[in-house]
Amino acid sequence: MSTPGVLLTWALLALLGLGLGVPGEDPLNSCCCPIVPRREWRAPVSRCTEKLQLPVRNVVVSHTAGSHCNSPALCLMQVQNVHSYHTKSLNWCDVGYNFLIGEDGLVYEGRGWDTKGDHTGVNWNPISIGISFMGNYMERSPPPRALRAAQSLLACGVAQGKLNPRYQLRGHRDVQQTLSPGDRLYEIIQTWPHYVD
């Protein structure tokens, strides 16, 4: 199936609230929100080698503060743009986030569950999963389907043993001097279970 066809399938499953099991992958992934694997957004092979100690106890939520995307085609371009900026301009080994959330209701795999990110600085990167919403959420909120995708991803991480069941969730501004994840998104995540300030 072509990449646009696969992305449309992911989008349909996201709208229906269903997961998509991929042959040969962990069956627990089928209970999760649709996660668009790196190969589907045409990510180059990662140069990152540092692993996280699992299960991870912390999650940091940020926003990219750039353009939002509300369709699989636009989100594919946006995640590629973020990757390009992180690897070419910042000279990081890969996109900095473990996962990115699109307004299309899909989760895009960045470094994934196992690899240390470059999202929150030297103190937090080795002990947290970085989830970034693609867009700027200072004055607007992500749509409900994007919020559901992030919450499903967190539940998936616990179910797969990647996240500690008593993980602590923070906004990017809780651990670094930044406006991320934006005022509107920050208000929302403060109401989520596991949030600590």
Side-chain angles (χ1 to χ4, degrees):
M1 185 182 300
S2 69
T3 297
V6 170
L7 288 174
L8 287 174
T9 302
W10 291 112
L12 178 60
L13 289 167
L15 289 171
L16 295 173
L18 302 173
L20 180 64
V22 176
E25 288 189 355
D26 187 339
L28 282 174
N29 193 40
S30 63
C31 72
C32 299
C33 66
I35 297 175
V36 179
R38 294 175 58 87
R39 69 181 174 277
E40 295 298 336
W41 60 268
R42 299 189 287 274
V45 174
S46 178
R47 299 185 328 263
C48 301
T49 57
E50 290 186 64
K51 298 299 181 187
L52 288 167
Q53 185 175 352
L54 302 176
V56 177
R57 184 146 178 105
N58 299 284
V59 175
V60 178
V61 176
S62 64
H63 70 171
T64 61
S67 299
H68 69 276
C69 58
N70 56 15
S71 72
L74 290 175
C75 288
L76 180 135
M77 287 190 309
Q78 189 60 21
V79 74
Q80 289 173 341
N81 289 341
V82 172
H83 180 275
S84 179
Y85 173 68
H86 286 181
T87 58
K88 294 178 180 164
S89 297
L90 300 178
N91 201 30
W92 291 348
C93 58
D94 200 345
V95 65
Y97 310 111
N98 299 91
F99 297 95
L100 297 100
I101 310 293
E103 289 193 4
D104 58 355
L106 298 176
V107 175
Y108 292 80
E109 180 185 22
R111 296 192 188 187
W113 293 113
D114 300 335
T115 304
K116 180 183 81 65
D118 278 310
H119 48 81
T120 322
V122 296
N123 293 326
W124 286 90
N125 290 336
I127 60 169
S128 64
I129 291 289
I131 298 173
S132 192
F133 283 73
M134 290 188 279
N136 188 324
Y137 299 103
M138 286 300 294
E139 298 180 6
R140 60 189 290 274
S141 298
R145 64 185 176 186
L147 298 169
R148 283 192 304 269
Q151 290 175 310
S152 178
L153 175 68
L154 295 169
C156 176
V158 171
Q160 291 187 2
K162 306 293 187 176
L163 277 181
N164 185 304
R166 291 190 289 265
Y167 70 88
Q168 296 182 342
L169 178 84
R170 292 174 174 85
H172 191 183
R173 64 178 65 177
D174 293 325
V175 297
Q176 276 191 318
Q177 191 148 3
T178 178
L179 295 175
S180 178
D183 293 346
R184 301 291 77 83
L185 179 54
Y186 187 59
E187 290 170 357
I188 292 168
I189 67 167
Q190 287 178 300
T191 69
W192 288 4
H194 299 274
Y195 175 80
V196 296
D197 53 7

